[in-house]
């Protein structure tokens, strides 16, 4: 009976180690995804800012030429 218990304990530890490794990989992926999401949002904000600036400059030129 002792060998069965030892085998079960070893298998349980192996499974727990594998779960811990997966948990670490998921945490790393979440960090990378958060960074990507923040960077993408910054690029979108920059694009909207540039479009708004170009629109304002174009309208100002059209208005003040008169």
């Amino acid at each position: 009976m002792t060998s069965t218990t030892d085998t079960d304990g070893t298998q349980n530890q192996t499974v727990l180690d594998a779960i811990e490794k997966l948990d670490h990989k998921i945490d790393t992926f979440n960090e990378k995804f958060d960074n990507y999401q923040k960077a993408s949002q910054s690029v979108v904000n920059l694009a909207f800012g540039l479009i708004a600036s170009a629109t304002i400059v174009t309208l100002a030129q059209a208005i003040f030429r008169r």
Side-chain angles (χ1 to χ4, degrees):
M1 287 296 230
T2 307
S3 64
T4 304
T5 305
D6 290 343
T7 304
D8 289 343
T10 304
Q11 289 176 347
N12 287 343
Q13 187 60 41
T14 304
V15 170
L16 290 174
D17 290 343
I19 290 172
E20 190 173 323
K21 287 179 184 177
L22 287 173
D23 186 45
H24 178 68
K25 287 182 180 182
I26 289 171
D27 288 342
T28 303
F29 175 77
N30 285 340
E31 288 177 21
K32 288 180 181 179
F33 183 76
D34 287 341
N35 290 339
Y36 174 76
Q37 188 176 17
K38 289 175 186 175
S40 296
Q41 187 62 43
S42 295
V43 170
V44 169
N45 289 342
L46 177 63
F48 278 127
L50 291 172
I51 291 169
S53 297
T55 302
I56 291 170
V57 168
T58 303
L59 289 174
Q61 286 178 351
I63 291 171
F64 291 121
R65 280 188 187 169
R66 293 181 185 178

